[in-house]
Amino acid sequence: MVEQLTNAAPESAPTAVVYNLKSVTASDALQFLQTAVPQAKLTVDTTDPQRLNAWARPTDHEKIKKILE
């Protein structure tokens, strides 16, 4: 796994993004997104039920953004 991350091109390397949700809780979104984007590491923020944390590659972040819109 470490080799995969260090050998990844910078434009395809995973990054962390915090998504602030308005119409759905992060728990509800998490259930759907885990199936839609299985490679992403997703967690619900423990201090805000409307905040979803995602560690994913840029292409997965694009999918997450489209789904959440």
Side-chain angles (χ1 to χ4, degrees), residues 2 4 7-8 19 26-27 33 38 41 46 48-50 59 66-67:
V2 173
Q4 290 174 346
N7 291 334
Y19 294 94
S27 295
L33 288 170
K41 305 293 187 238
T46 58
D48 185 345
Q50 297 298 117
T59 55
K66 287 180 184 177
I67 290 169

Side-chain angles (χ1 to χ4, degrees), residues 1-14 57:
M1 175 102 155
V2 173
E3 291 175 5
Q4 290 174 346
L5 294 176
T6 57
N7 291 334
E11 63 274 2
S12 66
R57 297 184 186 278

Side-chain angles (χ1 to χ4, degrees), residues 1 18-19 27 30 32 34 37 47 53 57 64 66-67:
M1 175 102 155
V18 176
Y19 294 94
S27 295
L30 179 72
F32 182 77
Q34 284 178 325
V37 192
T47 62
N53 304 310
R57 297 184 186 278
I64 293 168
K66 287 180 184 177
I67 290 169

Side-chain angles (χ1 to χ4, degrees), residues 8-42:
E11 63 274 2
S12 66
T15 59
V17 174
V18 176
Y19 294 94
N20 292 302
L21 310 177
K22 295 178 184 171
S23 61
V24 66
T25 65
S27 295
D28 290 339
L30 179 72
Q31 292 177 16
F32 182 77
L33 288 170
Q34 284 178 325
T35 302
V37 192
Q39 297 298 321
K41 305 293 187 238
L42 306 165

